[in-house]
Amino acid sequence: MVTGQGYKGSEDYIASKPLMEIVNVSVALGKPLVIKGEPGTGKTLLAHSISTALNKKLLIWNVKSTTKAKDGLYVYDTIQRLNDARFKDKDISDIRQYIKMGKLGQAFKSDEQLVLLIDEIDKADVEFPNDLLNELDEMSFHIPELDEEVTAIHRPVVIITSNSEKELPDAFLRRCVFHYIEFPDEEMMEKIVRVHYPDIENKLVREAIKRFYWIRDVDGLRKKPSTSELIDWIKALSLGGISTDKISSEIPFLGAILKNEQDTGRFIKLSHAQGGGFGFKRRF
Amino acid sequence: MFTDFFYLLRKKGVPVTVTEWVSFIEALYNGYFQSSLNHLYYVGRAFLVKSEAYYDMFDQAFQEYFGGIKTEGPELDKVLDWLENPLHKLPKMTPEEIAEFQQRLEEFRKEHNMDELMKQFMERLKEQKERHDGGGKWIGTGGTSPFGAYGHHPGGIRVGGESWMQSAAKVAEERRFRNYRNDIILDVRQTKMALKKLRELKREGAQEELDIDETIDKTAKEGGEIELVFNRSRENTVRIILLMDTGGSMLPYTELCERLFSAASQMEHFKEFKYFFFHNCIYQDIYEDIANYKRIPTEKLFSQFHKGYKVVLVGDARMAYSELFDVNGCIDYFSTNDKPSIEWLMKIKQHFPHSVWLNPTHKNFWGHYTVDTVGKVFPMFELTLDGLKDAIKALTSKAKPSVLN
């Protein structure tokens, strides 16, 4: 049973209850957890938070478009060896010194259980997740050069984030636990903002959040503003000493929320149409 | 006892596999769901559903299966009471048992063909409903299912009591994830995601990638003298031509087409992206702008672009018979055409073997003679996310000759 213990969010990260439970179950079962969600919903931060909350070291594997699955296991530096062989100033008979563990390899070899974050797995090639199937399932891999098996001493807690740039293969997903982080509702959002700015006046935060969701609801935005934009915006509002009334009558620093020209245009047109005109002309 | 939930999920369109179901059951019997419907909803979903696109279907299935519990106000106490004092302790599943479970599930699937399974499933569903009406009995034994031996839910199901944001049943009922379904919307981001699949990697450009195999080979041949060999890096060589209908019947779909267009034009990974417009159907001229002012001869398509280009036509393909088959059938009063449109379409298909037609109208409305004919020339797909995926599959696979050839 995982009741009463395990992951419960950390000081700087507000996790919803379902998410906490899912984290706990996946940790207990040793299954990788795939986290998807809109940009800015705190996918990457989750791993940081788990690492702090469970007091385990965090290892981050940032996946790029050029990343190969093998890079995460180990790299055999053939060029270095070739070079050393050429100048004969080193003993090259020991291949071991040219084998460097990747992030996954490090996590397996570690003496303590680690949290391994495979960040933005969808950035890599479509085949990338499939190449890791067995490694994540068995938590072991083989190094043919040494004819050695690297097996995880402690199964790391594996958190995988995806921005859904590409879809992940079914075979891969079958072995994982999946959670889609929904965009937080207003109540939750207030808590999140509070974590970042405990000192900003309540009224301002509430009004700003209200406005923010109103903007998000505008139909047909190309890029919906996310949490990080709200947080920046609130900071700008607070630093700029903007009064609460002003937020409700016009929208200052709109550029902090809408970052696309077409969106801004669309939004201004819409708010004009809804009457009032919010005084955009003066500002933009 | 949950096995019919498995089939219900599959019926609703959630692609649950046996592996996933077994891990779910395993977690269930290990007590990870803490005997609450909320756990069952959220954590169960994490095990069984692997894409937010299926969350809505899961919600529907969950609602259908567990939804009844909400309406049974007075009975609920009784159920809770019963659950507080479970009669039986649950068997723990060993790996052998799980294997057996899996095997039985497989056998079960082999034994029953799909129709029979459906029939059986429907019967079961009916039964399940009756039980709901009868009041919370569904939590009882699942004797009728082939896996009845596993008895009850570990500690029973406790409703409410915890500070979840919202109760599972309510969330399921709300169907908040409706908008994530694959078969409904197509926003720019999703479209881009789908278009990313459209690629052909070929080595092009500057030689800047170290070819290790070649290097080792060469170095060995040189007797240890290092010889570095570089190669061109792989790049996407997909070239796309988008042809869009701007005819009047396309008006309701403008926004949809706009999204496809903006996604495609934002895609940086195409080698080349060209777009043209046409009005209702393609004749000797196509246009470079939406308003159909800048015309260019359709022949130019064939002279300028080689057959490696992939052509995507977007239109409802719905027009008068004469517009497609007749000389001078063009709908524009001032235009004449000496070749019927269908000939142009076939010419396009012949010149560009990789071409598809995307139709923004629903498949149910395709029963129209011009739509059928166009559909015979070009493989036709719905302009939904699923349709787009299929279209891309068709574009990247080997071209099939059109039927009318």
Side-chain angles (χ1 to χ4, degrees):
Chain A
M1 272 286 195
V2 269
T3 14
Q5 64 201 24
Y7 178 66
K8 286 195 164 168
S10 57
E11 247 174 53
D12 52 354
Y13 186 86
I14 306 274
S16 67
K17 176 123 171 110
L19 181 56
M20 283 182 219
E21 296 300 336
I22 290 164
V23 168
N24 283 329
V25 174
S26 69
V27 170
L29 290 180
K31 275 184 187 293
L33 172 62
V34 175
I35 297 286
K36 249 165 97 172
E38 265 185 58
T41 37
K43 297 183 291 290
T44 306
L45 281 177
L46 173 69
H48 289 269
S49 160
I50 294 173
S51 135
T52 339
L54 302 182
N55 201 14
K56 291 185 198 310
K57 237 173 82 189
L58 176 68
L59 216 57
I60 303 173
W61 183 9
N62 276 313
V63 177
K64 300 194 179 70
S65 62
T66 49
T67 309
K68 297 268 169 310
K70 222 183 151 193
D71 301 345
L73 308 178
Y74 70 96
V75 181
Y76 175 26
D77 196 346
T78 40
I79 304 284
Q80 185 63 49
R81 186 160 182 245
L82 213 59
N83 206 44
D84 288 351
R86 198 181 183 199
F87 297 108
K88 296 197 175 85
D89 54 352
K90 249 185 178 175
D91 177 26
I92 54 146
S93 59
D94 184 16
I95 300 179
R96 206 169 293 271
Q97 55 181 321
Y98 300 105
I99 301 246
K100 296 192 176 75
M101 282 296 151
K103 296 284 179 197
L104 204 59
Q106 288 171 28
F108 287 178
K109 283 205 142 181
S110 164
D111 300 331
E112 46 177 346
Q113 193 185 27
L114 298 180
V115 178
L116 174 67
L117 167 67
I118 305 181
D119 207 9
E120 310 199 28
I121 195 168
D122 52 327
K123 287 266 187 307
D125 196 81
V126 214
E127 286 304 318
F128 177 85
N130 275 339
D131 294 345
L132 285 176
L133 279 185
N134 199 44
E135 283 72 13
L136 287 177
D137 224 20
E138 308 285 326
M139 295 282 179
S140 71
F141 60 90
H142 186 246
I143 304 179
E145 284 87 352
L146 302 175
D147 197 20
E148 245 181 45
E149 195 79 14
V150 178
T151 313
I153 305 170
H154 301 282
R155 281 178 88 97
V157 178
V158 182
I159 310 291
I160 299 164
T161 72
S162 162
N163 262 325
S164 18
E165 301 241 331
K166 290 187 197 93
E167 271 189 50
L168 300 173
D170 291 342
F172 179 76
L173 286 171
R174 259 205 302 277
R175 290 165 167 85
C176 302
V177 177
F178 173 88
H179 185 68
Y180 180 85
I181 301 191
E182 265 181 277
F183 198 80
D185 58 5
E186 294 194 27
E187 202 181 314
M188 186 80 174
M189 186 57 94
E190 206 179 312
K191 282 191 206 160
I192 294 170
V193 173
R194 282 272 153 246
V195 168
H196 289 266
Y197 307 119
D199 304 328
I200 295 181
E201 197 192 337
N202 266 336
K203 231 175 119 195
L204 179 97
V205 171
R206 249 177 238 144
E207 195 55 45
I209 289 177
K210 222 170 92 191
R211 284 282 123 189
F212 173 77
Y213 278 93
W214 181 69
I215 295 170
R216 260 184 74 86
D217 274 346
V218 170
D219 224 18
L221 286 186
R222 263 153 225 269
K223 190 200 167 300
K224 282 193 173 185
S226 66
T227 316
S228 55
E229 268 120 26
L230 172 71
I231 286 168
D232 289 347
W233 188 51
I234 290 182
K235 189 171 186 190
L237 290 176
S238 153
L239 287 178
I242 308 281
S243 74
T244 319
D245 305 342
K246 237 179 181 175
I247 305 175
S248 38
S249 61
E250 56 182 277
I251 298 196
F253 311 121
L254 186 63
I257 306 181
L258 296 178
K259 301 197 169 154
N260 179 311
E261 207 178 315
Q262 279 159 314
D263 283 352
T264 319
R266 191 183 170 93
F267 179 71
I268 290 174
K269 218 165 85 192
L270 201 86
S271 35
H272 274 295
Q274 282 183 353
F278 295 115
F280 286 114
K281 276 197 178 134
R282 267 182 289 135
R283 267 172 196 283
F284 299 95
Chain B
M1 63 170 278
F2 278 123
T3 312
D4 25 3
F5 185 53
F6 174 75
Y7 289 107
L8 183 60
L9 282 173
R10 289 196 66 100
K11 191 201 164 203
K12 290 284 177 196
V14 187
V16 199
T17 61
V18 178
T19 328
E20 283 159 335
W21 185 253
V22 170
S23 359
F24 167 71
I25 296 291
E26 194 187 348
L28 187 69
Y29 284 104
N30 282 326
Y32 288 124
F33 294 145
Q34 297 185 14
S35 330
S36 106
L37 202 56
N38 285 321
H39 276 86
L40 198 64
Y41 175 76
Y42 286 111
V43 187
R45 192 178 64 184
F47 276 88
L48 299 172
V49 189
K50 299 298 165 68
S51 164
E52 71 276 15
Y54 300 113
Y55 273 14
D56 184 47
M57 292 130 181
F58 179 83
D59 279 356
Q60 278 178 297
F62 193 86
Q63 171 70 4
E64 198 167 316
Y65 199 95
F66 298 105
I69 198 162
K70 253 184 68 199
T71 54
E72 301 154 4
E75 290 283 312
L76 209 60
D77 293 339
K78 249 192 226 172
V79 178
L80 286 175
D81 193 41
W82 179 79
L83 289 169
E84 290 289 330
N85 314 294
L87 289 172
H88 313 285
K89 286 271 174 273
L90 273 147
K92 240 188 140 170
M93 276 174 98
T94 61
E96 290 83 25
E97 276 174 316
I98 294 167
E100 195 205 9
F101 176 81
Q102 193 156 10
Q103 202 194 334
R104 281 170 72 175
L105 200 49
E106 278 303 325
E107 273 169 20
F108 181 75
R109 271 151 59 114
K110 270 188 212 137
E111 247 172 60
H112 301 77
N113 63 27
M114 211 48 211
D115 289 346
E116 212 178 307
L117 209 63
M118 268 304 160
K119 219 176 82 196
Q120 208 177 342
F121 168 77
M122 290 310 286
E123 274 165 19
R124 244 184 242 182
L125 196 65
K126 234 197 291 162
E127 203 178 322
Q128 195 69 44
K129 261 194 195 137
E130 278 158 15
R131 283 196 209 163
H132 277 191
D133 298 337
K137 264 193 210 160
W138 58 276
I139 304 169
T141 51
T144 50
S145 109
F147 313 105
Y150 296 108
H152 323 278
H153 187 285
I157 288 169
R158 186 174 297 126
V159 183
E162 279 178 68
S163 62
W164 292 75
M165 283 195 302
Q166 255 176 319
S167 100
K170 205 174 154 215
V171 174
E173 199 179 59
E174 270 183 8
R175 295 186 57 195
R176 278 193 278 168
F177 296 95
R178 197 188 303 219
N179 286 343
Y180 295 97
R181 286 179 81 119
N182 271 348
D183 46 355
I184 297 184
I185 56 153
L186 189 64
D187 68 18
V188 178
R189 194 181 155 78
Q190 284 175 315
T191 315
K192 275 165 89 173
M193 224 174 86
L195 287 175
K196 274 205 175 157
K197 287 229 176 89
L198 202 51
R199 61 170 198 177
E200 269 170 358
L201 293 174
K202 277 195 186 141
R203 296 197 179 277
E204 270 190 22
Q207 298 196 337
E208 50 194 11
E209 214 175 65
L210 182 67
D211 188 333
I212 294 186
D213 289 341
E214 271 300 306
T215 302
I216 293 171
D217 235 35
K218 269 258 171 82
T219 307
K221 269 184 199 152
E222 300 282 327
E225 198 63 23
I226 290 179
E227 181 77 38
L228 297 172
V229 181
F230 288 91
N231 212 333
R232 295 185 170 89
S233 61
R234 296 198 302 166
E235 259 179 46
N236 193 358
T237 55
V238 166
R239 296 174 161 88
I240 300 277
I241 301 174
L242 189 64
L243 287 163
M244 287 177 118
D245 183 2
T246 55
S249 56
M250 285 290 286
L251 262 181
Y253 311 108
T254 321
E255 203 180 332
L256 193 64
C257 297
E258 214 177 58
R259 284 184 202 155
L260 174 73
F261 180 76
S262 58
S265 51
Q266 281 171 29
M267 291 302 292
E268 280 161 9
H269 87 293
F270 293 144
K271 186 88 188 168
E272 245 177 287
F273 173 65
K274 300 274 173 203
Y275 53 89
F276 301 99
F277 301 92
F278 60 92
H279 192 220
N280 278 11
C281 208
I282 294 176
Y283 303 100
Q284 67 271 29
D285 290 318
I286 49 175
Y287 304 90
E288 282 183 309
D289 58 333
I290 296 187
N292 294 359
Y293 286 125
K294 293 183 207 151
R295 61 175 68 198
I296 61 160
T298 309
E299 281 292 347
K300 250 195 159 166
L301 278 183
F302 310 127
S303 59
Q304 266 186 4
F305 308 115
H306 59 77
K307 69 181 177 70
Y309 279 80
K310 298 186 191 305
V311 175
V312 178
L313 297 108
V314 184
D316 57 357
R318 214 180 173 76
M319 56 200 110
Y321 184 86
S322 57
E323 284 180 70
L324 188 60
F325 295 106
D326 288 356
V327 170
N328 290 338
C330 177
I331 194 168
D332 286 327
Y333 185 75
F334 297 106
S335 300
T336 52
N337 54 294
D338 45 12
K339 250 196 239 174
S341 180
I342 184 76
E343 279 185 29
W344 285 109
L345 293 182
M346 283 167 67
K347 226 176 151 178
I348 291 176
K349 177 70 192 175
Q350 262 163 23
H351 186 84
F352 302 107
H354 297 280
S355 46
V356 290
W357 189 289
L358 291 173
N359 196 330
T361 56
H362 196 273
K363 223 172 187 155
N364 292 352
F365 303 113
W366 289 4
H368 184 274
Y369 45 84
T370 57
V371 184
D372 286 344
T373 313
V374 172
K376 275 179 194 155
V377 181
F378 299 101
M380 192 179 280
F381 303 95
E382 270 182 342
L383 187 48
T384 60
L385 198 58
D386 284 340
L388 191 63
K389 279 181 192 160
D390 290 340
I392 286 166
K393 240 183 241 163
L395 276 179
T396 41
S397 63
K398 276 208 167 145
K400 284 187 202 110
S402 78
V403 183
L404 292 186
N405 268 348

